[in-house]
Amino acid sequence: MTVKIALLWLFAAISGLCYSHTSPPQLVQGNPDTQSSDITPTSQWNSVVGGVSILYPVEGSIEVAPVEFKVEIEVLPGGEKFVDELGTTKMCAEVNGVVISCSRVSDPPIQFYSLGNYTLRTYLELPDGSTRTITRLISPPVSFKVVNQAEFDANIARKLQKNDEMIRKGYKMSLVEWAQRQQHQPDKETLESLQHDEEIRGIEGKDTQLSELLMVIGVKTAGVSHFPFRQAIRETWASRSALPQGVKVFFLGCRPYASAPDESVLNSTEDAKLRRMWEAIELEKQVYGDLLTSELDCDDKYTSLADKMKEFLHFAATKFPQAQYVMIADDDLYLRLDQIAVWLRSLGPHQRFYAGQVRKIGNGLRSRPTQDPESPHYLPREVYPLSELPPFALGANFFLSMDCAQFVSKNRRWLRDLRGMDDISIALWMLVRQVHPLHRNGLEYLRPKPCEDHLVALSDLSVAAIRLIHANTLSQSAFCRDFDRQVWMWEHIGNGGKTLGSRWKLSYSPELLDFGLDIRDEEIIVTIFTSSRAGVKSAYTPANQTVEEILRSLCVQAKLHFPGSVSSCPVFTDLARSALHNFYYKLEEDSKAKLAEWNFALE
């Protein structure tokens, strides 16, 4: 297997500093200024390193300072044992014929700043310990342009607008905006979904039978802020028309949190906003039936990702024990589930199976615990005292056989995690059973390297990119057609998508519903309201509608406008039927209508 090492080697945007000009480097040998005695000889490097290529910037890109340079070193089969030695070799960058930096591959990044048009080449210096010569392995050149922030933002905005024109309107709609639109002008799918009382059922492929379930997928999501990602997934790779047979998909939300002003006590206005968010989540659950919140005993926080994973594995193991595999995924990715399903079916029923993108296997690099207290991946020594992390499948997408999921389910109360880090934690839990991760090619992140057409999973995507890739697959075009890194990853121009304020748990008690009834000509006007919410009016004609039809329609309206107060129709219809009975008897006593002509059977 060829190993490719993607290096975040340096950040650059050429500064006004003076650099000595050198001749463009060629694939040549010469005498180095210094020589390490323990480096692998060049004769061995020839069978270790296959080439050097620039991942970022891509050809023809427009960048903003500081520009991120990323270089990939191809390590040939059998050369994995020399990866550590590669870290001591020198990587040099040449911009417009000027060598601007030569430093060890393992050194910290360097930053330079300037605007203009540039051509970049990088080369790796490989010393020969016996002849005191070096070989320069040169990358193909890449041309790019560096502009100021305003011009860069304007360029991105133009590209985003162009993409928006190719995608349906409202695809970035927030959760609360979606709920408000449904309440004012519900679509057919929403009304049909609210007519049924079903438990969380997930999205499933056509003709899926529980007895033939291949895989259950849990997509980690932020309940309030990532609604556009869930909608993108529902309408693309996890749509019912796209899902392969035998696959079910759930979104993992846990108990929801939302951002609010940094105050110890919320004022009534902010509290009302948070309640609307909570009710919007409840409406989404009832409409789509695929979002798990209170069903999982965990909080929707980054530091609780391991708990989220444990709770979903427990959910999958107890609700769908007949499934062969469980997959954990992020919500900022695109999956070619048809290809993944073919791969898993080719393996057949499996036990002790744990697979994904494993860096230590895929690129030969050792993973060390992060010691920076400011990093979200910080692992203090008292939590993890070892100097190296075990091989683990990265958290964006990995696979477990059902017996592994059942192991976590049965032992979830005592399995410790590493500060909420789900991917490293699952690797440690699997080590208890001596189950080691297998590397699966074709699972990649967009952040470290560009899109590639052969991929079966790509993470770090924007909402628009998920939809654009799906359009590519539907039209049988290249997976990465019209790829633009800044646009495919870009979500928030200027602020990086940061949220302000404190995190508040969305925990509210259902409000009691009340009914107001009146008569107008031959219609009954029913108003549903609560102590804090204005009423919703509906008109019915008892002469033309049965009481069951009226009650069913009332329940749909109540679910739509008061989703936190109505979870099922049977309980609601008992209340509504009682209100209609009382109103009927009141009308009968007051003789305000010819009730006999209505054929109004309340029994």
Side-chain angles (χ1 to χ4, degrees), residues 26-309:
Q26 305 295 325
L27 188 58
V28 297
Q29 292 185 337
N31 292 322
D33 295 331
T34 60
Q35 180 62 53
S36 172
S37 60
D38 59 354
I39 200 73
T40 304
T42 301
S43 59
Q44 289 191 27
W45 284 123
N46 293 336
S47 61
V48 172
V49 181
V52 176
S53 59
I54 299 169
L55 297 178
Y56 289 123
V58 297
E59 176 64 32
S61 64
I62 297 176
E63 308 285 345
V64 65
V67 179
E68 184 179 273
F69 284 13
K70 291 188 178 179
V71 180
E72 184 175 73
I73 303 172
E74 181 182 3
V75 178
L76 299 175
E80 295 88 346
K81 59 185 177 181
F82 299 110
V83 167
D84 285 343
E85 290 187 28
L86 275 174
T88 66
T89 61
K90 283 188 177 181
M91 180 71 76
C92 300
E94 173 205 275
V95 178
N96 289 358
V98 179
V99 176
I100 63 168
S101 175
C102 279
S103 59
R104 291 191 308 173
V105 167
S106 58
D107 281 352
I110 302 172
Q111 291 188 357
F112 299 90
Y113 296 83
S114 188
L115 309 181
N117 296 296
Y118 300 102
T119 298
L120 167 70
R121 291 200 303 179
T122 62
Y123 59 90
L124 185 65
E125 290 191 341
L126 302 173
D128 187 322
S130 59
T131 63
R132 295 181 58 79
T133 61
I134 59 172
T135 297
R136 288 176 175 171
L137 197 59
I138 305 173
S139 71
V142 168
S143 297
F144 63 99
K145 182 179 181 180
V146 183
V147 298
N148 60 39
Q149 188 69 54
E151 187 176 349
F152 180 76
D153 287 352
N155 178 60
I156 293 296
R158 286 192 296 270
K159 292 179 178 179
L160 289 174
Q161 183 177 358
K162 181 180 178 181
N163 285 341
D164 287 350
E165 293 171 355
M166 297 186 290
I167 304 173
R168 71 162 177 81
K169 292 183 179 180
Y171 78 93
K172 289 183 179 179
M173 190 181 300
S174 72
L175 174 64
V176 173
E177 289 171 339
W178 168 82
Q180 290 173 340
R181 174 172 291 189
Q182 294 303 314
Q183 289 165 350
H184 287 92
Q185 193 174 3
D187 55 42
K188 182 179 179 181
E189 179 187 16
T190 295
L191 294 177
E192 289 179 350
S193 298
L194 294 178
Q195 290 181 20
H196 307 285
D197 288 329
E198 296 185 29
E199 62 179 9
I200 299 295
R201 56 197 179 275
I203 314 169
E204 60 185 29
K206 52 189 174 183
D207 301 325
T208 293
Q209 303 294 325
L210 291 182
S211 59
E212 301 175 356
L213 200 55
L214 173 68
M215 176 172 56
V216 181
I217 302 175
V219 180
K220 295 173 289 184
T221 187
V224 173
S225 59
H226 278 211
F227 175 76
F229 284 95
R230 295 194 292 277
Q231 289 294 73
I233 291 172
R234 289 177 181 128
E235 296 175 13
T236 59
W237 59 263
S239 62
R240 284 184 168 83
S241 60
L243 272 184
Q245 183 178 352
V247 176
K248 289 181 76 75
V249 177
F250 293 89
F251 293 100
L252 315 182
C254 295
R255 290 181 288 265
Y257 278 69
S259 296
D262 195 5
E263 301 173 1
S264 58
V265 179
L266 289 175
N267 59 44
S268 58
T269 301
E270 292 299 332
D271 187 64
K273 289 181 180 178
L274 294 183
R275 186 176 186 92
R276 282 197 294 273
M277 293 179 188
W278 173 71
E279 290 188 333
I281 289 177
E282 293 300 310
L283 179 60
E284 180 187 359
K285 291 180 64 174
Q286 294 193 41
V287 170
Y288 295 108
D290 55 18
L291 176 61
L292 300 172
T293 57
S294 57
E295 295 81 5
L296 305 179
D297 185 15
C298 51
D299 292 331
D300 188 10
K301 298 189 293 185
Y302 179 81
T303 54
S304 299
L305 281 177
D307 290 337
K308 179 177 287 192
M309 181 182 61

Side-chain angles (χ1 to χ4, degrees), residues 362-419:
N363 59 24
L365 291 177
R366 296 180 180 179
S367 296
R368 305 187 186 280
T370 301
Q371 299 297 321
D372 179 8
E374 300 300 319
S375 170
H377 306 118
Y378 172 51
L379 277 178
R381 294 191 183 279
E382 57 268 24
V383 174
Y384 189 83
L386 303 181
S387 61
E388 186 176 336
L389 295 171
F392 64 93
L394 297 180
N397 39 69
F398 61 87
F399 306 84
L400 295 170
S401 54
M402 181 53 75
D403 64 300
C404 291
Q406 290 169 338
F407 168 77
V408 175
S409 170
K410 293 176 181 178
N411 299 284
R412 70 190 189 284
R413 298 305 180 196
W414 65 265
L415 287 172
R416 290 182 55 195
D417 63 76
L418 292 181
R419 301 189 78 240

Side-chain angles (χ1 to χ4, degrees), residues 159 162-163 165-167 334 336 446 450-455 458 461-462 464-485 487-488:
K159 292 179 178 179
K162 181 180 178 181
N163 285 341
E165 293 171 355
M166 297 186 290
I167 304 173
Y334 189 90
R336 283 176 160 171
L446 186 58
C451 180
E452 297 175 313
D453 288 330
H454 70 275
L455 298 178
L458 181 59
L461 295 174
S462 67
I466 294 172
R467 295 178 178 275
L468 292 172
I469 292 175
H470 190 65
N472 290 345
T473 60
L474 289 180
S475 63
Q476 297 184 337
S477 302
F479 184 82
C480 303
R481 185 186 67 175
D482 297 329
F483 168 68
D484 187 304
R485 184 193 184 220
V487 173
W488 282 30

